[in-house]
PDB file of all heavy atoms in Angstrom:
ATOM      1  N   LEU S 796       0.840  -1.208   0.016  1.00 93.00           N
ATOM      2  CA  LEU S 796       0.016  -0.006  -0.011  1.00 93.00           C
ATOM      3  C   LEU S 796       0.856   1.273  -0.005  1.00 93.00           C
ATOM      4  O   LEU S 796       0.592   2.189  -0.746  1.00 93.00           O
ATOM      5  CB  LEU S 796      -0.942  -0.035   1.258  1.00 93.00           C
ATOM      6  CG  LEU S 796      -2.074  -1.018   1.165  1.00 93.00           C
ATOM      7  CD1 LEU S 796      -2.813  -1.015   2.516  1.00 93.00           C
ATOM      8  CD2 LEU S 796      -3.077  -0.692   0.054  1.00 93.00           C
ATOM      9  N   LEU S 797       1.881   1.270   0.832  1.00 91.00           N
ATOM     10  CA  LEU S 797       2.712   2.446   0.870  1.00 91.00           C
ATOM     11  C   LEU S 797       3.512   2.683  -0.407  1.00 91.00           C
ATOM     12  O   LEU S 797       3.750   3.821  -0.846  1.00 91.00           O
ATOM     13  CB  LEU S 797       3.684   2.358   2.066  1.00 91.00           C
ATOM     14  CG  LEU S 797       3.054   2.356   3.441  1.00 91.00           C
ATOM     15  CD1 LEU S 797       4.099   2.267   4.541  1.00 91.00           C
ATOM     16  CD2 LEU S 797       2.180   3.600   3.655  1.00 91.00           C
ATOM     17  N   ARG S 798       3.888   1.552  -1.086  1.00 92.00           N
ATOM     18  CA  ARG S 798       4.581   1.649  -2.341  1.00 92.00           C
ATOM     19  C   ARG S 798       3.655   2.266  -3.431  1.00 92.00           C
ATOM     20  O   ARG S 798       4.117   2.933  -4.358  1.00 92.00           O
ATOM     21  CB  ARG S 798       5.048   0.284  -2.750  1.00 92.00           C
ATOM     22  CG  ARG S 798       6.045   0.296  -3.957  1.00 92.00           C
ATOM     23  CD  ARG S 798       6.475  -1.123  -4.334  1.00 92.00           C
ATOM     24  NE  ARG S 798       7.191  -1.756  -3.211  1.00 92.00           N
ATOM     25  CZ  ARG S 798       6.745  -2.803  -2.602  1.00 92.00           C
ATOM     26  NH1 ARG S 798       5.597  -3.383  -2.946  1.00 92.00           N
ATOM     27  NH2 ARG S 798       7.444  -3.360  -1.610  1.00 92.00           N
ATOM     28  N   ALA S 799       2.380   1.958  -3.316  1.00 93.00           N
ATOM     29  CA  ALA S 799       1.394   2.470  -4.306  1.00 93.00           C
ATOM     30  C   ALA S 799       1.058   3.935  -4.140  1.00 93.00           C
ATOM     31  O   ALA S 799       0.560   4.560  -5.090  1.00 93.00           O
ATOM     32  CB  ALA S 799       0.130   1.654  -4.254  1.00 93.00           C
ATOM     33  N   LEU S 800       1.350   4.518  -3.009  1.00 93.00           N
ATOM     34  CA  LEU S 800       1.014   5.939  -2.766  1.00 93.00           C
ATOM     35  C   LEU S 800       2.014   6.842  -3.455  1.00 93.00           C
ATOM     36  O   LEU S 800       3.220   6.602  -3.434  1.00 93.00           O
ATOM     37  CB  LEU S 800       1.022   6.211  -1.251  1.00 93.00           C
ATOM     38  CG  LEU S 800      -0.168   5.640  -0.451  1.00 93.00           C
ATOM     39  CD1 LEU S 800       0.098   5.838   1.053  1.00 93.00           C
ATOM     40  CD2 LEU S 800      -1.464   6.295  -0.870  1.00 93.00           C
ATOM     41  N   GLN S 801       1.496   7.914  -4.002  1.00 94.00           N
ATOM     42  CA  GLN S 801       2.276   8.968  -4.584  1.00 94.00           C
ATOM     43  C   GLN S 801       2.007  10.259  -3.761  1.00 94.00           C
ATOM     44  O   GLN S 801       1.212  11.086  -4.103  1.00 94.00           O
ATOM     45  CB  GLN S 801       1.954   9.210  -6.052  1.00 94.00           C
ATOM     46  CG  GLN S 801       2.159   7.995  -6.936  1.00 94.00           C
ATOM     47  CD  GLN S 801       3.602   7.540  -6.987  1.00 94.00           C
ATOM     48  OE1 GLN S 801       4.494   8.369  -7.080  1.00 94.00           O
ATOM     49  NE2 GLN S 801       3.836   6.265  -6.950  1.00 94.00           N
ATOM     50  N   THR S 802       2.651  10.320  -2.589  1.00 95.00           N
ATOM     51  CA  THR S 802       2.416  11.393  -1.617  1.00 95.00           C
ATOM     52  C   THR S 802       3.656  12.031  -1.169  1.00 95.00           C
ATOM     53  O   THR S 802       4.132  11.826  -0.046  1.00 95.00           O
ATOM     54  CB  THR S 802       1.625  10.791  -0.415  1.00 95.00           C
ATOM     55  OG1 THR S 802       2.357   9.675   0.087  1.00 95.00           O
ATOM     56  CG2 THR S 802       0.227  10.284  -0.804  1.00 95.00           C
ATOM     57  N   PRO S 803       4.312  12.842  -2.018  1.00 96.00           N
ATOM     58  CA  PRO S 803       5.580  13.439  -1.654  1.00 96.00           C
ATOM     59  C   PRO S 803       5.492  14.397  -0.454  1.00 96.00           C
ATOM     60  O   PRO S 803       6.411  14.501   0.348  1.00 96.00           O
ATOM     61  CB  PRO S 803       5.985  14.185  -2.923  1.00 96.00           C
ATOM     62  CG  PRO S 803       4.752  14.363  -3.704  1.00 96.00           C
ATOM     63  CD  PRO S 803       3.919  13.161  -3.405  1.00 96.00           C
ATOM     64  N   ALA S 804       4.369  15.075  -0.322  1.00 96.00           N
ATOM     65  CA  ALA S 804       4.249  16.013   0.819  1.00 96.00           C
ATOM     66  C   ALA S 804       4.121  15.212   2.141  1.00 96.00           C
ATOM     67  O   ALA S 804       4.770  15.559   3.122  1.00 96.00           O
ATOM     68  CB  ALA S 804       3.026  16.918   0.639  1.00 96.00           C
ATOM     69  N   LEU S 805       3.321  14.156   2.111  1.00 96.00           N
ATOM     70  CA  LEU S 805       3.238  13.326   3.338  1.00 96.00           C
ATOM     71  C   LEU S 805       4.599  12.727   3.649  1.00 96.00           C
ATOM     72  O   LEU S 805       5.018  12.670   4.818  1.00 96.00           O
ATOM     73  CB  LEU S 805       2.200  12.217   3.119  1.00 96.00           C
ATOM     74  CG  LEU S 805       2.064  11.170   4.240  1.00 96.00           C
ATOM     75  CD1 LEU S 805       1.650  11.899   5.541  1.00 96.00           C
ATOM     76  CD2 LEU S 805       1.036  10.112   3.857  1.00 96.00           C
ATOM     77  N   ALA S 806       5.289  12.243   2.657  1.00 95.00           N
ATOM     78  CA  ALA S 806       6.629  11.705   2.842  1.00 95.00           C
ATOM     79  C   ALA S 806       7.615  12.684   3.427  1.00 95.00           C
ATOM     80  O   ALA S 806       8.366  12.380   4.346  1.00 95.00           O
ATOM     81  CB  ALA S 806       7.189  11.124   1.498  1.00 95.00           C
ATOM     82  N   ALA S 807       7.494  13.917   2.967  1.00 94.00           N
ATOM     83  CA  ALA S 807       8.427  14.983   3.541  1.00 94.00           C
ATOM     84  C   ALA S 807       8.091  15.229   4.977  1.00 94.00           C
ATOM     85  O   ALA S 807       8.992  15.387   5.846  1.00 94.00           O
ATOM     86  CB  ALA S 807       8.275  16.253   2.719  1.00 94.00           C
ATOM     87  N   LEU S 808       6.816  15.302   5.335  1.00 95.00           N
ATOM     88  CA  LEU S 808       6.395  15.575   6.756  1.00 95.00           C
ATOM     89  C   LEU S 808       6.807  14.465   7.680  1.00 95.00           C
ATOM     90  O   LEU S 808       7.199  14.694   8.818  1.00 95.00           O
ATOM     91  CB  LEU S 808       4.870  15.805   6.780  1.00 95.00           C
ATOM     92  CG  LEU S 808       4.330  17.076   6.152  1.00 95.00           C
ATOM     93  CD1 LEU S 808       2.814  17.032   6.042  1.00 95.00           C
ATOM     94  CD2 LEU S 808       4.790  18.325   6.878  1.00 95.00           C
ATOM     95  N   ILE S 809       6.760  13.241   7.121  1.00 94.00           N
ATOM     96  CA  ILE S 809       7.092  12.104   8.013  1.00 94.00           C
ATOM     97  C   ILE S 809       8.626  11.831   8.051  1.00 94.00           C
ATOM     98  O   ILE S 809       9.160  11.625   9.184  1.00 94.00           O
ATOM     99  CB  ILE S 809       6.357  10.826   7.494  1.00 94.00           C
ATOM    100  CG1 ILE S 809       4.863  10.972   7.725  1.00 94.00           C
ATOM    101  CG2 ILE S 809       6.941   9.568   8.152  1.00 94.00           C
ATOM    102  CD1 ILE S 809       4.072   9.857   7.195  1.00 94.00           C
ATOM    103  N   ALA S 810       9.310  11.852   6.950  1.00 92.00           N
ATOM    104  CA  ALA S 810      10.720  11.547   6.913  1.00 92.00           C
ATOM    105  C   ALA S 810      11.545  12.648   7.555  1.00 92.00           C
ATOM    106  O   ALA S 810      12.504  12.347   8.303  1.00 92.00           O
ATOM    107  CB  ALA S 810      11.145  11.252   5.514  1.00 92.00           C
ATOM    108  N   ARG S 811      11.205  13.875   7.272  1.00 91.00           N
ATOM    109  CA  ARG S 811      12.018  15.013   7.779  1.00 91.00           C
ATOM    110  C   ARG S 811      11.330  15.572   9.014  1.00 91.00           C
ATOM    111  O   ARG S 811      10.790  16.700   9.004  1.00 91.00           O
ATOM    112  CB  ARG S 811      12.228  16.054   6.696  1.00 91.00           C
ATOM    113  CG  ARG S 811      13.046  15.499   5.539  1.00 91.00           C
ATOM    114  CD  ARG S 811      13.285  16.498   4.426  1.00 91.00           C
ATOM    115  NE  ARG S 811      14.111  15.930   3.397  1.00 91.00           N
ATOM    116  CZ  ARG S 811      14.421  16.511   2.268  1.00 91.00           C
ATOM    117  NH1 ARG S 811      13.929  17.738   1.968  1.00 91.00           N
ATOM    118  NH2 ARG S 811      15.234  15.938   1.390  1.00 91.00           N
ATOM    119  N   HIS S 812      11.299  14.777  10.047  1.00 90.00           N
ATOM    120  CA  HIS S 812      10.562  15.171  11.262  1.00 90.00           C
ATOM    121  C   HIS S 812      11.548  15.684  12.328  1.00 90.00           C
ATOM    122  O   HIS S 812      12.761  15.444  12.315  1.00 90.00           O
ATOM    123  CB  HIS S 812       9.836  13.930  11.832  1.00 90.00           C
ATOM    124  CG  HIS S 812      10.721  12.766  12.162  1.00 90.00           C
ATOM    125  ND1 HIS S 812      10.933  11.730  11.329  1.00 90.00           N
ATOM    126  CD2 HIS S 812      11.474  12.507  13.279  1.00 90.00           C
ATOM    127  CE1 HIS S 812      11.732  10.858  11.849  1.00 90.00           C
ATOM    128  NE2 HIS S 812      12.064  11.304  13.045  1.00 90.00           N
ATOM    129  N   SER S 813      10.962  16.413  13.285  1.00 91.00           N
ATOM    130  CA  SER S 813      11.732  16.876  14.434  1.00 91.00           C
ATOM    131  C   SER S 813      11.489  15.955  15.608  1.00 91.00           C
ATOM    132  O   SER S 813      12.316  15.958  16.555  1.00 91.00           O
ATOM    133  CB  SER S 813      11.319  18.295  14.805  1.00 91.00           C
ATOM    134  OG  SER S 813       9.912  18.381  15.022  1.00 91.00           O
ATOM    135  N   ASP S 814      10.425  15.185  15.606  1.00 90.00           N
ATOM    136  CA  ASP S 814      10.101  14.296  16.695  1.00 90.00           C
ATOM    137  C   ASP S 814       9.151  13.231  16.195  1.00 90.00           C
ATOM    138  O   ASP S 814       8.221  13.531  15.373  1.00 90.00           O
ATOM    139  CB  ASP S 814       9.457  15.097  17.870  1.00 90.00           C
ATOM    140  CG  ASP S 814       9.189  14.226  19.087  1.00 90.00           C
ATOM    141  OD1 ASP S 814      10.168  13.620  19.591  1.00 90.00           O
ATOM    142  OD2 ASP S 814       8.019  14.125  19.492  1.00 90.00           O
ATOM    143  N   ALA S 815       9.328  12.027  16.666  1.00 88.00           N
ATOM    144  CA  ALA S 815       8.423  10.907  16.212  1.00 88.00           C
ATOM    145  C   ALA S 815       8.338   9.884  17.362  1.00 88.00           C
ATOM    146  O   ALA S 815       9.385   9.491  17.940  1.00 88.00           O
ATOM    147  CB  ALA S 815       8.948  10.193  14.956  1.00 88.00           C
ATOM    148  N   ASN S 816       7.124   9.479  17.722  1.00 90.00           N
ATOM    149  CA  ASN S 816       6.903   8.516  18.790  1.00 90.00           C
ATOM    150  C   ASN S 816       5.811   7.564  18.396  1.00 90.00           C
ATOM    151  O   ASN S 816       4.840   7.922  17.722  1.00 90.00           O
ATOM    152  CB  ASN S 816       6.522   9.271  20.112  1.00 90.00           C
ATOM    153  CG  ASN S 816       7.615  10.157  20.628  1.00 90.00           C
ATOM    154  OD1 ASN S 816       8.572   9.640  21.154  1.00 90.00           O
ATOM    155  ND2 ASN S 816       7.442  11.424  20.456  1.00 90.00           N
ATOM    156  N   THR S 817       5.985   6.297  18.804  1.00 87.00           N
ATOM    157  CA  THR S 817       5.025   5.257  18.544  1.00 87.00           C
ATOM    158  C   THR S 817       4.424   4.755  19.864  1.00 87.00           C
ATOM    159  O   THR S 817       5.169   4.544  20.811  1.00 87.00           O
ATOM    160  CB  THR S 817       5.629   4.081  17.795  1.00 87.00           C
ATOM    161  OG1 THR S 817       6.149   4.572  16.537  1.00 87.00           O
ATOM    162  CG2 THR S 817       4.595   2.990  17.512  1.00 87.00           C
ATOM    163  N   THR S 818       3.109   4.589  19.893  1.00 86.00           N
ATOM    164  CA  THR S 818       2.410   4.059  21.109  1.00 86.00           C
ATOM    165  C   THR S 818       1.660   2.826  20.741  1.00 86.00           C
ATOM    166  O   THR S 818       0.818   2.808  19.796  1.00 86.00           O
ATOM    167  CB  THR S 818       1.450   5.116  21.663  1.00 86.00           C
ATOM    168  OG1 THR S 818       2.172   6.311  21.982  1.00 86.00           O
ATOM    169  CG2 THR S 818       0.781   4.593  22.906  1.00 86.00           C
ATOM    170  N   VAL S 819       1.899   1.704  21.429  1.00 85.00           N
ATOM    171  CA  VAL S 819       1.150   0.492  21.272  1.00 85.00           C
ATOM    172  C   VAL S 819      -0.088   0.587  22.145  1.00 85.00           C
ATOM    173  O   VAL S 819      -0.024   0.949  23.322  1.00 85.00           O
ATOM    174  CB  VAL S 819       1.984  -0.728  21.665  1.00 85.00           C
ATOM    175  CG1 VAL S 819       1.169  -2.019  21.523  1.00 85.00           C
ATOM    176  CG2 VAL S 819       3.212  -0.829  20.768  1.00 85.00           C
ATOM    177  N   PHE S 820      -1.211   0.252  21.600  1.00 84.00           N
ATOM    178  CA  PHE S 820      -2.511   0.465  22.273  1.00 84.00           C
ATOM    179  C   PHE S 820      -3.048  -0.880  22.796  1.00 84.00           C
ATOM    180  O   PHE S 820      -3.022  -1.881  22.100  1.00 84.00           O
ATOM    181  CB  PHE S 820      -3.492   1.102  21.292  1.00 84.00           C
ATOM    182  CG  PHE S 820      -4.813   1.519  21.879  1.00 84.00           C
ATOM    183  CD1 PHE S 820      -4.846   2.551  22.808  1.00 84.00           C
ATOM    184  CD2 PHE S 820      -5.974   0.865  21.586  1.00 84.00           C
ATOM    185  CE1 PHE S 820      -6.053   2.991  23.380  1.00 84.00           C
ATOM    186  CE2 PHE S 820      -7.188   1.268  22.137  1.00 84.00           C
ATOM    187  CZ  PHE S 820      -7.214   2.319  23.024  1.00 84.00           C
ATOM    188  N   ASP S 821      -3.621  -0.812  23.956  1.00 77.00           N
ATOM    189  CA  ASP S 821      -4.243  -1.972  24.581  1.00 77.00           C
ATOM    190  C   ASP S 821      -5.742  -1.962  24.267  1.00 77.00           C
ATOM    191  O   ASP S 821      -6.497  -1.116  24.734  1.00 77.00           O
ATOM    192  CB  ASP S 821      -4.029  -1.948  26.102  1.00 77.00           C
ATOM    193  CG  ASP S 821      -4.473  -3.237  26.799  1.00 77.00           C
ATOM    194  OD1 ASP S 821      -5.329  -3.971  26.212  1.00 77.00           O
ATOM    195  OD2 ASP S 821      -3.904  -3.538  27.874  1.00 77.00           O
ATOM    196  N   ASN S 822      -6.167  -2.926  23.483  1.00 69.00           N
ATOM    197  CA  ASN S 822      -7.575  -2.964  23.031  1.00 69.00           C
ATOM    198  C   ASN S 822      -8.533  -3.319  24.179  1.00 69.00           C
ATOM    199  O   ASN S 822      -9.757  -3.315  23.941  1.00 69.00           O
ATOM    200  CB  ASN S 822      -7.753  -3.950  21.875  1.00 69.00           C
ATOM    201  CG  ASN S 822      -7.389  -3.275  20.585  1.00 69.00           C
ATOM    202  OD1 ASN S 822      -7.673  -2.168  20.320  1.00 69.00           O
ATOM    203  ND2 ASN S 822      -6.683  -4.066  19.706  1.00 69.00           N
ATOM    204  N   ASN S 823      -8.049  -3.583  25.347  1.00 73.00           N
ATOM    205  CA  ASN S 823      -8.918  -3.864  26.506  1.00 73.00           C
ATOM    206  C   ASN S 823      -9.735  -2.637  26.871  1.00 73.00           C
ATOM    207  O   ASN S 823     -10.718  -2.665  27.626  1.00 73.00           O
ATOM    208  CB  ASN S 823      -8.129  -4.312  27.727  1.00 73.00           C
ATOM    209  CG  ASN S 823      -7.648  -5.752  27.546  1.00 73.00           C
ATOM    210  OD1 ASN S 823      -8.264  -6.579  26.868  1.00 73.00           O
ATOM    211  ND2 ASN S 823      -6.525  -6.077  28.215  1.00 73.00           N
ATOM    212  N   SER S 824      -9.323  -1.453  26.355  1.00 77.00           N
ATOM    213  CA  SER S 824     -10.064  -0.210  26.605  1.00 77.00           C
ATOM    214  C   SER S 824     -11.382  -0.206  25.859  1.00 77.00           C
ATOM    215  O   SER S 824     -12.227   0.663  26.054  1.00 77.00           O
ATOM    216  CB  SER S 824      -9.224   0.975  26.268  1.00 77.00           C
ATOM    217  OG  SER S 824      -8.924   1.010  24.893  1.00 77.00           O
ATOM    218  N   ARG S 825     -11.534  -1.111  24.840  1.00 90.00           N
ATOM    219  CA  ARG S 825     -12.786  -1.279  24.143  1.00 90.00           C
ATOM    220  C   ARG S 825     -13.143  -0.080  23.227  1.00 90.00           C
ATOM    221  O   ARG S 825     -14.294   0.098  22.869  1.00 90.00           O
ATOM    222  CB  ARG S 825     -13.949  -1.608  25.095  1.00 90.00           C
ATOM    223  CG  ARG S 825     -13.705  -2.878  25.876  1.00 90.00           C
ATOM    224  CD  ARG S 825     -14.614  -2.979  27.069  1.00 90.00           C
ATOM    225  NE  ARG S 825     -16.005  -3.241  26.684  1.00 90.00           N
ATOM    226  CZ  ARG S 825     -16.490  -4.447  26.400  1.00 90.00           C
ATOM    227  NH1 ARG S 825     -15.744  -5.493  26.431  1.00 90.00           N
ATOM    228  NH2 ARG S 825     -17.802  -4.577  26.076  1.00 90.00           N
TER     229      ARG S 825
END
């Protein structure tokens, strides 16, 4: 899916970031 996208602006915002964090979510919160 990501290979199929032609989104240079999104790519710039994501790749050239000042900060990036990932959070794993617990689905027990429903």
Side-chain angles (χ1 to χ4, degrees):
L796 288 173
L797 295 181
R798 191 180 299 116
L800 287 173
Q801 301 297 319
T802 53
L805 176 60
L808 291 170
I809 290 175
R811 295 180 177 175
H812 59 263
S813 56
D814 184 59
N816 295 285
T817 300
T818 302
V819 178
F820 188 69
D821 189 335
N822 278 320
N823 287 332
S824 62
R825 300 165 70 83

